[in-house]
């Protein structure tokens, strides 16, 4: 959910629900093999709350709380999942601080401006968590209007973690928003950095198009993160404007990689 109060002076974001999913696990690192795929089941309740208050015209500060209670089922003894830290599940209960800059001209489909979100997260016995670790995340986005209706959008994302993070809380590539094209959670590790860019253009009336490219990598150590190797993906997409007032699009993307490709159908942009 996303809620904006008091003429956007207060922002409330979060997620509440109960989930029962099957997840891919290929092992650790950007060099993991596609043939090592294992699928595990996890069910968990989730509550995420992030509250931000505007402190100047474009800057917000606030905090967040994250709770999950993972139950991981039917793990095969001796498998990669069984050997991973956190294979028995556990409680995620973390608190953190957040700083946000929002200079975009529109929240859903910006054509100019920039956005920066920096988050910290601390998980410990004091907060009621099973595992003790810390996270630091940076999400920067920039939008440039080339000419009417033509926009270049770019995104730099970095996630760092420290200490005994369980495998189900690690960063991963790919998803429908971060380095599209690879199978879901194709690569995962303690730290991630990636860059994405899109060229968005009109076609006819409510119909638009997108060409996109992304590159990124992961590593278990922060100091080795930028050394690679890097994974790349690219693709093309169509947009159909569902809501003229809020500029909400139906998003249809096909992304390809050196391992094949994937199709995505959803609403709102990847970034």
């Amino acid at each position: 959910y996303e809620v904006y109060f008091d003429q956007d002076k207060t922002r409330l974001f979060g997620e509440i629900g109960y989930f029962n999913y099957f997840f891919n696990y290929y092992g650790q690192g950007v060099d993991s093999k596609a043939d090592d795929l294992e699928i595990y089941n996890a069910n968990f309740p989730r509550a995420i709350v992030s509250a931000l208050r505007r402190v100047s015209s474009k800057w917000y500060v606030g905090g967040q709380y994250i709770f999950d209670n993972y139950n991981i089922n039917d793990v095969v003894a001796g498998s990669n999942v069984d050997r991973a830290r956190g294979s028995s599940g556990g409680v995620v209960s973390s608190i953190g601080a957040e700083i946000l800059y929002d200079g975009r001209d529109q929240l859903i489909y910006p054509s100019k401006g920039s956005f920066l979100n920096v988050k910290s997260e601390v998980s410990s016995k004091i907060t009621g968590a099973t595992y003790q670790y810390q996270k630091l995340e940076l999400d920067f986005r920039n939008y440039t209007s080339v000419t009417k209706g033509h926009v270049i959008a770019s995104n730099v994302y970095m996630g760092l973690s420290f200490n005994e993070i369980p495998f189900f809380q690690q960063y991963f590539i790919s998803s429908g928003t971060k380095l599209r094209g690879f199978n879901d959670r194709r690569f995962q590790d303690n730290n991630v950095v990636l860059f994405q860019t899109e060229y968005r253009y009109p076609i006819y009336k409510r119909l638009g198009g997108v060409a996109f490219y992304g590159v990124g990598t992961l590593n278990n150590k922060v100091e080795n993160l930028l050394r690679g190797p890097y994974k790349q993906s690219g693709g093309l997409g169509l947009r159909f404007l569902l809501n003229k007032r809020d500029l909400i699009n139906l998003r249809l993307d096909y992304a390809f990689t050196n391992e094949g490709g994937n199709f995505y159908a959803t609403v709102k942009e990847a970034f």
Side-chain angles (χ1 to χ4, degrees):
Y1 59 85
E2 298 181 15
V3 185
Y4 303 86
F5 297 101
D6 194 16
Q7 297 180 329
D8 200 23
K9 291 181 181 178
T10 302
R11 295 184 177 187
L12 189 65
F13 306 104
E15 186 177 357
I16 297 175
Y18 184 86
F19 303 88
N20 189 348
Y21 284 163
F22 288 90
F23 295 98
N24 294 338
Y25 185 66
Y26 293 86
Q28 295 288 294
V30 76
D31 292 320
S32 62
K33 306 300 182 185
D35 292 341
D36 290 336
L37 171 63
E38 297 175 6
I39 299 175
Y40 67 94
N41 171 252
N43 56 78
F44 52 95
R46 165 168 289 175
I48 301 176
V49 178
S50 176
L52 295 164
R53 181 68 177 176
R54 193 167 69 198
V55 294
S56 69
S57 61
K58 298 178 181 179
W59 288 92
Y60 297 77
V61 296
Q64 65 174 350
Y65 175 72
I66 300 173
F67 173 84
D68 291 323
N69 189 359
Y70 277 86
N71 296 292
I72 298 178
N73 307 303
D74 304 322
V75 176
V76 177
S79 64
N80 287 331
V81 173
D82 186 44
R83 291 192 294 268
R85 178 186 287 121
S87 61
S88 59
V91 174
V92 174
S93 180
S94 63
I95 59 173
E98 187 171 352
I99 299 173
L100 185 146
Y101 170 84
D102 196 345
R104 299 171 295 178
D105 63 338
Q106 209 272 346
L107 292 174
I108 306 299
Y109 192 84
S111 61
K112 60 181 179 180
S114 56
F115 171 93
L116 173 66
N117 192 202
V118 180
K119 297 180 181 180
S120 65
E121 183 181 334
V122 177
S123 174
S124 72
K125 292 180 180 179
I126 296 175
T127 62
T130 304
Y131 303 94
Q132 300 185 67
Y133 60 89
Q134 301 81 42
K135 281 184 171 183
L136 181 63
E137 299 178 7
L138 180 148
D139 185 356
F140 175 74
R141 308 173 187 187
N142 186 74
Y143 306 89
T144 302
S145 178
V146 179
T147 186
K148 186 177 180 180
H150 295 253
V151 176
I152 296 176
S154 300
N155 174 223
V156 175
Y157 179 82
M158 177 178 286
L160 309 177
S161 69
F162 310 90
N163 295 323
E164 54 179 44
I165 187 168
F167 83 105
F168 52 81
Q169 285 292 293
Q170 289 179 314
Y171 298 103
F172 58 86
I173 296 172
S174 152
S175 68
T177 59
K178 294 182 175 65
L179 221 60
R180 288 157 283 179
F182 292 100
N183 290 342
D184 189 43
R185 297 173 183 255
R186 174 61 186 87
F187 307 101
Q188 71 176 74
D189 215 323
N190 295 341
N191 309 285
V192 65
V193 63
L194 59 88
F195 169 78
Q196 305 178 103
T197 189
E198 292 189 350
Y199 172 50
R200 303 170 180 173
Y201 55 91
I203 296 177
Y204 181 73
K205 292 187 177 180
R206 289 177 176 254
L207 187 65
V210 171
F212 55 89
Y213 169 78
V215 59
T217 190
L218 304 103
N219 204 286
N220 66 333
K221 295 182 178 180
V222 173
E223 58 268 29
N224 295 334
L225 179 58
L226 298 179
R227 295 181 180 178
Y230 286 83
K231 300 298 180 180
Q232 302 181 67
S233 71
L236 299 171
L238 291 174
R239 301 291 183 268
F240 183 80
L241 183 61
L242 299 173
N243 184 314
K244 285 188 175 182
R245 187 193 69 177
D246 298 322
L247 301 181
I248 298 175
N249 287 317
L250 171 66
R251 174 161 65 95
L252 303 174
D253 288 337
Y254 184 78
F256 50 88
T257 74
N258 64 335
E259 295 186 354
N262 278 288
F263 176 76
Y264 304 89
T266 185
V267 294
K268 297 176 66 175
E269 301 307 309
F271 56 89

